[in-house]
Coordinates of all heavy atoms in Angstrom, one line a residue:
M1 N -1.2 -8.3 -11.1 CA -0.1 -7.4 -10.7 C 0.5 -8.1 -9.4 O -0.1 -8.3 -8.4 CB -0.8 -6.1 -10.3 CG 0.2 -5.2 -9.6 SD -0.6 -3.5 -9.3 CE -0.9 -3.6 -7.6
T2 N 1.8 -8.5 -9.6 CA 2.5 -9.0 -8.5 C 3.7 -8.1 -8.2 O 4.6 -8.0 -9.0 CB 3.1 -10.5 -8.8 OG1 1.9 -11.3 -9.1 CG2 3.8 -11.0 -7.6
E3 N 3.6 -7.3 -7.1 CA 4.6 -6.3 -6.8 C 5.1 -6.6 -5.4 O 4.4 -7.2 -4.6 CB 4.0 -4.9 -6.9 CG 3.3 -4.6 -8.2 CD 4.2 -3.8 -9.1 OE1 5.2 -3.3 -8.7 OE2 3.7 -3.6 -10.3
L4 N 6.2 -6.1 -5.1 CA 6.8 -6.2 -3.8 C 6.9 -4.9 -3.1 O 7.3 -3.9 -3.7 CB 8.2 -6.8 -3.9 CG 9.1 -7.0 -2.7 CD1 8.5 -8.0 -1.8 CD2 10.5 -7.4 -3.1
A5 N 6.5 -4.8 -1.8 CA 6.6 -3.6 -1.0 C 7.2 -4.0 0.3 O 6.7 -4.9 1.0 CB 5.3 -2.9 -0.8
R6 N 8.3 -3.3 0.6 CA 9.0 -3.6 1.9 C 9.0 -2.4 2.8 O 9.4 -2.5 4.0 CB 10.5 -4.0 1.6 CG 10.6 -5.3 1.0 CD 12.0 -5.7 0.8 NE 12.2 -7.1 0.4 CZ 13.2 -7.6 -0.1 NH1 14.3 -6.9 -0.2 NH2 13.2 -8.9 -0.5
T7 N 8.5 -1.3 2.4 CA 8.4 -0.1 3.2 C 7.0 0.5 3.0 O 6.3 0.3 2.0 CB 9.5 1.0 2.8 OG1 9.2 1.5 1.5 CG2 10.9 0.4 2.8
P8 N 6.6 1.4 4.0 CA 5.3 2.1 3.8 C 5.3 2.9 2.6 O 4.2 3.0 1.9 CB 5.2 3.0 5.1 CG 6.0 2.2 6.1 CD 7.2 1.6 5.3
K9 N 6.4 3.5 2.2 CA 6.4 4.4 1.0 C 6.2 3.5 -0.3 O 5.5 3.9 -1.2 CB 7.8 5.1 0.9 CG 8.0 6.0 -0.3 CD 7.2 7.2 -0.1 CE 7.5 8.2 -1.2 NZ 6.6 9.3 -1.2
Q10 N 6.8 2.3 -0.3 CA 6.7 1.4 -1.5 C 5.2 0.9 -1.5 O 4.6 0.9 -2.6 CB 7.6 0.2 -1.4 CG 9.1 0.6 -1.6 CD 10.0 -0.5 -1.3 OE1 9.7 -1.5 -0.6 NE2 11.2 -0.4 -1.8
L11 N 4.6 0.6 -0.4 CA 3.2 0.2 -0.4 C 2.3 1.3 -0.8 O 1.4 1.1 -1.6 CB 2.8 -0.3 1.0 CG 1.4 -0.8 1.2 CD1 1.1 -2.0 0.3 CD2 1.1 -1.2 2.6
G12 N 2.6 2.5 -0.4 CA 1.8 3.6 -0.8 C 1.9 3.8 -2.3 O 0.9 4.1 -3.0
N13 N 3.1 3.7 -2.9 CA 3.2 3.8 -4.4 C 2.4 2.7 -5.1 O 1.8 3.0 -6.1 CB 4.7 3.7 -4.8 CG 5.4 5.0 -4.4 OD1 4.9 6.1 -4.3 ND2 6.7 4.9 -4.2
L14 N 2.5 1.5 -4.6 CA 1.7 0.4 -5.2 C 0.2 0.7 -5.2 O -0.5 0.4 -6.1 CB 2.0 -0.9 -4.5 CG 3.4 -1.5 -4.7 CD1 3.6 -2.7 -3.9 CD2 3.7 -1.7 -6.2
I15 N -0.3 1.2 -4.0 CA -1.7 1.5 -3.9 C -2.1 2.6 -4.9 O -3.1 2.6 -5.5 CB -2.0 1.9 -2.4 CG1 -2.0 0.6 -1.6 CG2 -3.4 2.5 -2.3 CD1 -2.1 0.8 -0.1
R16 N -1.2 3.7 -5.0 CA -1.5 4.8 -5.9 C -1.6 4.3 -7.3 O -2.5 4.6 -8.1 CB -0.4 5.8 -5.8 CG -0.6 7.0 -6.8 CD 0.5 8.0 -6.7 NE 0.6 8.7 -5.4 CZ 1.6 8.5 -4.6 NH1 2.6 7.7 -4.9 NH2 1.6 9.1 -3.4
R17 N -0.6 3.4 -7.7 CA -0.6 2.9 -9.1 C -1.9 2.0 -9.4 O -2.5 2.2 -10.4 CB 0.6 2.0 -9.4 CG 1.7 2.9 -9.9 CD 2.9 2.0 -10.4 NE 3.8 2.0 -9.2 CZ 4.6 1.0 -8.9 NH1 4.5 -0.1 -9.5 NH2 5.4 1.1 -7.8
A18 N -2.3 1.2 -8.4 CA -3.5 0.4 -8.5 C -4.7 1.3 -8.6 O -5.6 1.0 -9.4 CB -3.6 -0.6 -7.4
R19 N -4.8 2.3 -7.8 CA -5.9 3.2 -7.9 C -6.0 3.9 -9.3 O -7.1 4.0 -9.9 CB -5.8 4.3 -6.8 CG -6.9 5.4 -6.9 CD -6.7 6.5 -5.8 NE -5.4 7.2 -5.8 CZ -5.1 8.1 -6.6 NH1 -5.9 8.5 -7.6 NH2 -3.9 8.7 -6.5
K20 N -4.9 4.4 -9.8 CA -4.9 5.1 -11.1 C -5.2 4.1 -12.2 O -5.9 4.5 -13.2 CB -3.5 5.7 -11.3 CG -3.4 7.0 -10.4 CD -2.1 7.7 -10.7 CE -2.0 9.0 -9.9 NZ -0.8 9.7 -10.2
Q21 N -4.7 2.8 -12.1 CA -5.1 1.8 -13.1 C -6.6 1.6 -13.2 O -7.1 1.2 -14.2 CB -4.4 0.5 -12.8 CG -2.9 0.5 -13.1 CD -2.2 -0.7 -12.7 OE1 -2.7 -1.6 -12.0 NE2 -0.9 -0.9 -13.1
R22 N -7.3 1.8 -12.1 CA -8.7 1.6 -12.0 C -9.5 2.9 -12.3 O -10.7 3.0 -12.2 CB -9.1 1.0 -10.7 CG -8.7 -0.4 -10.6 CD -8.5 -0.8 -9.1 NE -8.1 -2.2 -9.0 CZ -6.9 -2.7 -9.1 NH1 -5.9 -1.9 -9.5 NH2 -6.7 -4.0 -9.0
S23 N -8.7 3.9 -12.7 CA -9.3 5.3 -13.0 C -10.1 5.9 -11.9 O -11.2 6.4 -12.1 CB -10.1 5.2 -14.3 OG -9.4 4.8 -15.4
L24 N -9.6 5.7 -10.7 CA -10.2 6.3 -9.5 C -9.4 7.4 -9.0 O -8.1 7.4 -9.0 CB -10.3 5.2 -8.4 CG -11.2 4.0 -8.6 CD1 -11.0 3.0 -7.5 CD2 -12.6 4.4 -8.8
N25 N -10.0 8.4 -8.5 CA -9.3 9.5 -7.7 C -9.3 9.1 -6.3 O -10.0 8.1 -5.9 CB -9.8 10.9 -8.0 CG -11.2 11.1 -7.6 OD1 -11.7 10.6 -6.6 ND2 -12.0 11.8 -8.4
Q26 N -8.6 9.8 -5.4 CA -8.5 9.5 -4.0 C -9.9 9.6 -3.3 O -10.2 8.7 -2.5 CB -7.5 10.4 -3.3 CG -6.1 10.1 -3.7 CD -5.1 11.0 -3.0 OE1 -5.5 12.1 -2.4 NE2 -3.9 10.7 -3.0
T27 N -10.7 10.5 -3.7 CA -12.0 10.6 -3.1 C -12.9 9.4 -3.4 O -13.6 8.9 -2.6 CB -12.7 11.9 -3.6 OG1 -11.9 13.0 -3.2 CG2 -14.1 12.1 -3.0
Q28 N -12.8 9.0 -4.7 CA -13.6 7.8 -5.1 C -13.2 6.6 -4.4 O -14.0 5.8 -3.9 CB -13.5 7.6 -6.6 CG -14.2 8.7 -7.4 CD -13.9 8.7 -8.9 OE1 -12.7 8.4 -9.3 NE2 -14.8 9.0 -9.7
L29 N -11.9 6.4 -4.3 CA -11.4 5.2 -3.5 C -11.8 5.3 -2.1 O -12.2 4.3 -1.5 CB -9.9 5.1 -3.7 CG -9.2 4.0 -2.9 CD1 -9.8 2.6 -3.2 CD2 -7.7 4.0 -3.1
G30 N -11.7 6.5 -1.5 CA -12.1 6.7 -0.1 C -13.6 6.3 0.1 O -13.9 5.6 1.0
E31 N -14.4 6.7 -0.8 CA -15.8 6.4 -0.7 C -16.1 4.9 -0.8 O -16.8 4.3 -0.1 CB -16.6 7.1 -1.8 CG -16.7 8.6 -1.6 CD -17.3 9.4 -2.8 OE1 -17.6 8.8 -3.8 OE2 -17.5 10.6 -2.7
K32 N -15.3 4.3 -1.8 CA -15.5 2.8 -2.0 C -15.0 2.0 -0.7 O -15.6 1.0 -0.4 CB -14.6 2.4 -3.2 CG -14.9 1.1 -3.7 CD -14.2 0.9 -5.0 CE -14.5 -0.5 -5.5 NZ -13.9 -0.8 -6.8
A33 N -14.0 2.6 0.0 CA -13.4 1.9 1.2 C -14.1 2.4 2.5 O -13.8 1.9 3.5 CB -11.9 2.2 1.2
G34 N -14.9 3.4 2.4 CA -15.5 4.0 3.6 C -14.5 4.8 4.4 O -14.6 4.9 5.6
L35 N -13.6 5.5 3.7 CA -12.6 6.3 4.3 C -12.6 7.7 3.8 O -13.1 7.9 2.7 CB -11.2 5.6 4.1 CG -11.0 4.2 4.7 CD1 -9.8 3.6 4.1 CD2 -11.0 4.2 6.2
R36 N -11.9 8.6 4.4 CA -11.8 10.0 3.9 C -10.7 10.0 2.9 O -9.7 9.2 2.9 CB -11.5 10.9 5.1 CG -12.6 11.0 6.2 CD -12.2 11.9 7.3 NE -10.8 11.8 7.7 CZ -10.1 12.9 8.0 NH1 -10.6 14.1 8.0 NH2 -8.8 12.8 8.4
Q37 N -10.8 11.0 2.0 CA -9.8 11.2 1.0 C -8.4 11.5 1.6 O -7.4 11.0 1.2 CB -10.2 12.4 0.1 CG -9.1 12.8 -1.0 CD -8.1 13.8 -0.5 OE1 -8.4 14.6 0.4 NE2 -6.9 13.6 -0.9
E38 N -8.4 12.2 2.7 CA -7.2 12.5 3.4 C -6.5 11.2 3.9 O -5.2 11.2 3.9 CB -7.5 13.4 4.6 CG -7.9 14.8 4.3 CD -9.4 14.9 4.0 OE1 -10.2 13.9 4.1 OE2 -9.9 16.0 3.7
T39 N -7.2 10.2 4.3 CA -6.7 8.9 4.7 C -6.0 8.2 3.6 O -4.9 7.7 3.7 CB -7.7 8.0 5.4 OG1 -8.3 8.7 6.5 CG2 -7.1 6.7 5.8
I40 N -6.6 8.3 2.4 CA -6.0 7.7 1.2 C -4.8 8.4 0.9 O -3.7 7.8 0.6 CB -7.0 7.7 0.0 CG1 -8.3 7.0 0.4 CG2 -6.4 7.1 -1.2 CD1 -8.2 5.5 0.7
S41 N -4.8 9.7 0.9 CA -3.6 10.5 0.6 C -2.4 10.1 1.6 O -1.3 10.0 1.1 CB -3.9 12.0 0.8 OG -2.8 12.8 0.5
L42 N -2.7 10.0 2.9 CA -1.6 9.6 3.8 C -1.1 8.3 3.5 O 0.2 8.1 3.6 CB -2.2 9.7 5.3 CG -2.5 11.1 5.8 CD1 -3.2 11.0 7.2 CD2 -1.2 11.8 6.0
I43 N -1.9 7.3 3.2 CA -1.4 5.9 2.9 C -0.6 6.0 1.7 O 0.5 5.4 1.6 CB -2.6 5.0 2.7 CG1 -3.3 4.7 4.1 CG2 -2.2 3.7 2.1 CD1 -4.6 4.0 4.0
E44 N -1.0 6.7 0.6 CA -0.2 6.8 -0.6 C 1.1 7.5 -0.4 O 2.0 7.2 -1.1 CB -1.1 7.4 -1.7 CG -2.2 6.5 -2.2 CD -3.0 7.2 -3.4 OE1 -2.6 8.3 -3.8 OE2 -3.9 6.5 -3.9
A45 N 1.1 8.4 0.5 CA 2.4 9.1 0.8 C 3.3 8.3 1.7 O 4.5 8.7 1.9 CB 2.1 10.4 1.6
G46 N 2.9 7.1 2.1 CA 3.8 6.2 2.9 C 3.8 6.5 4.3 O 4.8 6.2 5.0
N47 N 2.7 7.1 4.9 CA 2.7 7.4 6.3 C 2.8 6.1 7.1 O 2.0 5.2 7.0 CB 1.3 8.1 6.6 CG 1.2 8.5 8.0 OD1 1.8 7.9 8.9 ND2 0.6 9.7 8.3
P48 N 3.8 6.0 7.9 CA 4.1 4.7 8.6 C 3.1 4.5 9.8 O 3.0 3.4 10.4 CB 5.5 4.9 9.2 CG 5.7 6.3 9.2 CD 4.9 7.0 8.1
A49 N 2.3 5.5 10.1 CA 1.3 5.4 11.2 C 0.0 4.8 10.7 O -0.9 4.6 11.5 CB 1.1 6.8 11.8
A50 N -0.2 4.5 9.4 CA -1.4 3.9 8.9 C -1.7 2.6 9.6 O -0.8 1.8 9.7 CB -1.4 3.8 7.4
K51 N -2.9 2.4 10.0 CA -3.2 1.1 10.7 C -3.3 0.0 9.6 O -3.8 0.2 8.5 CB -4.5 1.2 11.4 CG -4.5 2.2 12.6 CD -5.8 2.3 13.3 CE -5.7 3.2 14.5 NZ -7.0 3.3 15.2
L52 N -2.9 -1.2 10.0 CA -3.0 -2.3 9.2 C -4.5 -2.6 8.7 O -4.7 -2.8 7.5 CB -2.5 -3.6 9.8 CG -2.5 -4.9 9.0 CD1 -1.7 -4.7 7.7 CD2 -2.0 -6.0 9.8
D53 N -5.4 -2.4 9.6 CA -6.8 -2.6 9.3 C -7.3 -1.7 8.2 O -8.0 -2.0 7.2 CB -7.7 -2.5 10.5 CG -9.2 -2.8 10.2 OD1 -9.4 -3.9 9.7 OD2 -10.0 -1.9 10.5
T54 N -6.8 -0.4 8.2 CA -7.1 0.6 7.2 C -6.5 0.2 5.9 O -7.1 0.3 4.8 CB -6.6 2.0 7.7 OG1 -7.2 2.3 9.0 CG2 -7.0 3.0 6.7
I55 N -5.2 -0.2 5.9 CA -4.6 -0.6 4.7 C -5.3 -1.8 4.0 O -5.5 -1.8 2.8 CB -3.1 -0.9 4.9 CG1 -2.4 0.4 5.3 CG2 -2.4 -1.6 3.7 CD1 -1.0 0.2 5.8
L56 N -5.7 -2.8 4.9 CA -6.4 -3.9 4.3 C -7.7 -3.5 3.7 O -8.1 -4.1 2.7 CB -6.6 -5.0 5.4 CG -5.3 -5.7 5.9 CD1 -5.6 -6.5 7.1 CD2 -4.6 -6.4 4.8
T57 N -8.4 -2.6 4.3 CA -9.7 -2.1 3.8 C -9.4 -1.4 2.4 O -10.2 -1.7 1.4 CB -10.3 -1.0 4.7 OG1 -10.6 -1.7 6.0 CG2 -11.6 -0.5 4.2
V58 N -8.4 -0.6 2.2 CA -8.1 0.0 1.0 C -7.7 -1.1 -0.1 O -8.2 -1.0 -1.2 CB -6.9 1.0 1.1 CG1 -6.4 1.5 -0.2 CG2 -7.4 2.2 2.0
L59 N -6.9 -2.1 0.3 CA -6.6 -3.1 -0.6 C -7.8 -3.9 -1.1 O -7.9 -4.2 -2.3 CB -5.6 -4.1 0.0 CG -4.2 -3.5 0.3 CD1 -3.3 -4.5 1.1 CD2 -3.5 -3.2 -1.0
A60 N -8.7 -4.2 -0.2 CA -10.0 -4.9 -0.5 C -10.8 -4.0 -1.5 O -11.4 -4.5 -2.5 CB -10.8 -5.2 0.7
A61 N -10.8 -2.7 -1.3 CA -11.6 -1.8 -2.2 C -11.0 -1.8 -3.6 O -11.7 -1.5 -4.6 CB -11.6 -0.4 -1.6
L62 N -9.7 -2.1 -3.7 CA -9.0 -2.1 -5.0 C -9.0 -3.6 -5.5 O -8.3 -3.8 -6.6 CB -7.6 -1.6 -4.8 CG -7.4 -0.1 -4.6 CD1 -6.0 0.2 -4.2 CD2 -7.8 0.7 -5.8
D63 N -9.6 -4.5 -4.8 CA -9.7 -5.9 -5.2 C -8.2 -6.5 -5.2 O -7.9 -7.2 -6.1 CB -10.3 -6.1 -6.6 CG -10.8 -7.5 -6.8 OD1 -11.1 -8.2 -5.8 OD2 -10.8 -8.0 -8.0
L64 N -7.5 -6.1 -4.2 CA -6.1 -6.6 -4.0 C -6.1 -7.4 -2.7 O -6.9 -7.2 -1.8 CB -5.1 -5.5 -4.0 CG -5.0 -4.7 -5.3 CD1 -4.1 -3.5 -5.0 CD2 -4.5 -5.5 -6.4
E65 N -5.0 -8.2 -2.5 CA -4.9 -8.9 -1.2 C -3.5 -8.7 -0.7 O -2.5 -8.4 -1.4 CB -5.2 -10.4 -1.4 CG -4.3 -11.1 -2.3 CD -4.8 -12.6 -2.5 OE1 -5.9 -12.9 -2.1 OE2 -4.0 -13.3 -3.1
F66 N -3.3 -8.9 0.6 CA -2.1 -8.8 1.3 C -1.5 -10.2 1.5 O -2.2 -11.1 1.9 CB -2.4 -8.2 2.7 CG -1.2 -8.0 3.6 CD1 -0.4 -6.9 3.4 CD2 -0.9 -8.9 4.6 CE1 0.7 -6.6 4.3 CE2 0.1 -8.7 5.4 CZ 0.9 -7.6 5.3
R67 N -0.3 -10.4 1.1 CA 0.4 -11.7 1.3 C 1.7 -11.6 2.1 O 2.4 -10.6 1.9 CB 0.7 -12.4 0.0 CG -0.5 -12.8 -0.8 CD -0.1 -13.5 -2.1 NE -1.3 -13.8 -2.8 CZ -1.4 -14.8 -3.7 NH1 -0.4 -15.5 -3.9 NH2 -2.5 -15.0 -4.3
V68 N 2.0 -12.6 2.9 CA 3.2 -12.6 3.6 C 4.0 -13.8 3.0 O 3.5 -14.9 3.0 CB 3.0 -12.8 5.1 CG1 4.4 -12.9 5.8 CG2 2.2 -11.6 5.6
V69 N 5.2 -13.5 2.5 CA 6.0 -14.6 1.9 C 7.5 -14.4 2.4 O 7.8 -13.4 2.9 CB 6.0 -14.5 0.3 CG1 4.6 -14.7 -0.2 CG2 6.5 -13.2 -0.2
P70 N 8.2 -15.5 2.3 CA 9.6 -15.4 2.7 C 10.3 -14.3 1.9 O 10.1 -14.1 0.7 CB 10.2 -16.7 2.4 CG 9.1 -17.7 2.4 CD 7.9 -16.8 1.8
R71 N 11.2 -13.6 2.6 CA 11.9 -12.5 2.0 C 12.9 -13.0 1.0 O 13.7 -13.9 1.3 CB 12.7 -11.7 3.1 CG 13.2 -10.4 2.7 CD 13.8 -9.6 3.9 NE 14.1 -8.3 3.6 CZ 13.3 -7.2 3.9 NH1 12.3 -7.4 4.6 NH2 13.7 -6.0 3.5
S72 N 13.0 -12.4 -0.2 CA 13.9 -12.8 -1.2 C 15.3 -12.3 -0.8 O 15.5 -11.3 0.0 CB 13.5 -12.2 -2.5 OG 13.5 -10.8 -2.5
K73 N 16.3 -12.8 -1.4 CA 17.7 -12.5 -1.0 C 18.3 -11.5 -2.0 O 19.5 -11.5 -2.2 CB 18.6 -13.8 -1.0 CG 18.2 -14.7 0.1 CD 18.4 -14.1 1.4 CE 18.1 -15.0 2.6 NZ 18.1 -14.4 3.8
G74 N 17.4 -10.6 -2.5 CA 17.9 -9.6 -3.4 C 18.4 -8.3 -2.8 O 19.3 -7.6 -3.2
G75 N 17.9 -8.0 -1.6 CA 18.2 -6.8 -0.9 C 19.1 -7.0 0.3 O 19.5 -8.1 0.6
T76 N 19.4 -5.9 0.9 CA 20.3 -5.9 2.1 C 19.3 -5.9 3.3 O 18.5 -5.0 3.5 CB 21.2 -4.7 2.2 OG1 22.0 -4.7 1.0 CG2 22.1 -4.7 3.4
D77 N 19.4 -6.9 4.1 CA 18.7 -6.9 5.4 C 19.4 -6.1 6.4 O 20.6 -6.1 6.5 CB 18.5 -8.4 5.9 CG 17.5 -9.2 5.0 OD1 16.6 -8.6 4.4 OD2 17.7 -10.4 4.9
I78 N 18.6 -5.5 7.3 CA 19.2 -4.7 8.4 C 20.2 -5.6 9.3 O 21.2 -5.1 9.7 CB 18.2 -4.0 9.2 CG1 18.8 -3.0 10.2 CG2 17.3 -5.0 10.0 CD1 19.1 -1.7 9.6
E79 N 19.8 -6.8 9.4 CA 20.6 -7.7 10.3 C 22.0 -8.0 9.6 O 23.0 -8.2 10.3 CB 19.9 -9.1 10.5 CG 18.7 -9.0 11.3 CD 17.4 -8.7 10.5 OE1 17.5 -8.7 9.2 OE2 16.4 -8.4 11.1
D80 N 22.1 -7.9 8.3 CA 23.3 -8.2 7.6 C 24.3 -7.0 7.7 O 25.4 -7.1 7.4 CB 23.1 -8.5 6.1 CG 22.3 -9.8 5.9 OD1 22.4 -10.6 6.8 OD2 21.6 -9.9 4.9
M81 N 23.8 -5.8 8.1 CA 24.6 -4.6 8.1 C 25.5 -4.6 9.4 O 26.4 -3.8 9.4 CB 23.7 -3.4 8.1 CG 22.9 -3.3 6.8 SD 21.7 -2.0 6.8 CE 22.7 -0.6 6.4
F82 N 25.1 -5.4 10.4 CA 25.9 -5.3 11.7 C 26.6 -6.6 12.0 O 26.2 -7.6 11.7 CB 24.9 -4.9 12.8 CG 24.3 -3.5 12.6 CD1 23.0 -3.4 12.1 CD2 25.1 -2.4 12.8 CE1 22.5 -2.2 11.9 CE2 24.5 -1.2 12.6 CZ 23.2 -1.0 12.2

């Protein structure tokens, strides 16, 4: 699965899809990651206050990794708007 997320909401959607593909509910993923179900729910909802360390823990529990790559030129960058 190679997906792109540029916003907390997009990242939350990717995490939700990965969780469902593994037939896990939020409670099960929380247990696997050592987090509460409520925390998983907030991340999947795109809560921008989620800590990077928490997101990395969830990704690891889903056997996913975080990568930083150059931004593709498909979207509109905020800098291009002004």
Side-chain angles (χ1 to χ4, degrees):
M1 172 172 107
T2 301
E3 306 258 356
L4 175 66
R6 291 184 171 165
T7 67
K9 182 76 173 168
Q10 290 172 340
L11 181 59
N13 287 333
L14 292 176
I15 288 172
R16 179 183 298 111
R17 270 188 263 145
R19 174 181 58 78
K20 288 183 176 184
Q21 286 174 348
R22 289 157 179 76
S23 300
L24 296 171
N25 62 38
Q26 290 180 344
T27 301
Q28 292 167 323
L29 177 55
E31 289 171 356
K32 195 171 179 180
L35 300 167
R36 299 178 321 138
Q37 175 274 326
E38 293 84 357
T39 302
I40 303 300
S41 178
L42 288 171
I43 291 170
E44 289 184 358
N47 185 326
K51 293 181 180 180
L52 180 58
D53 185 54
T54 304
I55 292 169
L56 292 174
T57 299
V58 171
L59 291 174
L62 290 168
D63 199 28
L64 297 174
E65 62 185 13
F66 180 83
R67 292 184 184 207
V68 176
V69 297
R71 192 174 190 103
S72 62
K73 293 297 180 189
T76 303
D77 289 328
I78 190 83
E79 294 86 9
D80 295 336
M81 298 172 81
F82 299 101

